[in-house]
Amino acid sequence: PSAATPAYLKTKLVDTTLSNISSYSVTACLNTTPLFSNGGISVTSSSNITVTDGGIYKVTAMVQADADSARSNLTMTLGVNGVFNQAVAAMGMVRNIVGADESSTTWTGILFIGTNSVLNLAFLNTSDTRITSVIAGAKSSVTLHKIGPEII
């Protein structure tokens, strides 16, 4: 894409059950039909957003999940090419006292994503890895917007 063509993508997630997760790893949770996309970014599988127009991107992931426990904390991070060394979003603590079992978590950051690299999401229940959480796909999304050129 040319400099005049903005690169961006927004896609929802799909309902995904997460249980017995003991470490961050690529999670298959992406809807493969984006709400909108332009300029070299596409959802190539339920695990991968492929970026063919490398550069600096603002990335936001918003996830709502329900838990089967009175006290759970679904955390989320993003990775490039399956490497999860970014910040962790961990504000989704559930304290189910009166039947409330849902929480939301938002991750946002500026990432360098190289040409033909993939962006992945990963999750972990930090309060107890045996807890089951279910991502509410229709209420969750990932957006990418290119804000700078690829740095070589």
Side-chain angles (χ1 to χ4, degrees), residues 10-91:
K10 180 175 184 176
T11 191
K12 295 279 191 177
L13 275 58
V14 295
D15 293 350
T16 306
T17 300
L18 307 166
S19 59
N20 297 315
I21 300 171
S22 59
S23 64
Y24 290 109
S25 63
V26 175
T27 302
C29 60
L30 301 169
N31 187 320
T32 57
T33 304
L35 297 171
F36 49 81
S37 177
N38 188 59
I41 311 170
S42 58
V43 184
T44 51
S45 74
S46 62
S47 301
N48 297 329
I49 296 174
T50 300
V51 175
T52 58
D53 184 18
I56 300 170
Y57 283 82
K58 179 180 179 187
V59 181
T60 302
M62 300 172 21
V63 174
Q64 180 178 323
D66 300 329
D68 69 351
S69 172
R71 296 182 68 79
S72 68
N73 188 20
L74 184 65
T75 64
M76 170 178 55
T77 190
L78 278 71
V80 177
N81 297 325
V83 177
F84 298 101
N85 58 3
Q86 303 300 319
V88 171
M91 73 283 282

Side-chain angles (χ1 to χ4, degrees), residues 86-132:
Q86 303 300 319
V88 171
M91 73 283 282
M93 181 70 173
V94 173
R95 287 186 172 84
N96 184 347
I97 297 171
V98 291
D101 64 353
E102 57 277 320
S103 67
S104 62
T105 301
T106 300
W107 187 101
T108 193
I110 306 295
L111 296 177
F112 169 74
I113 305 174
T115 297
N116 298 318
S117 293
V118 297
L119 183 74
N120 315 107
L121 276 71
F123 299 89
L124 179 67
N125 272 308
T126 56
S127 55
D128 185 341
T129 59
R130 297 168 295 172
I131 291 172
T132 297

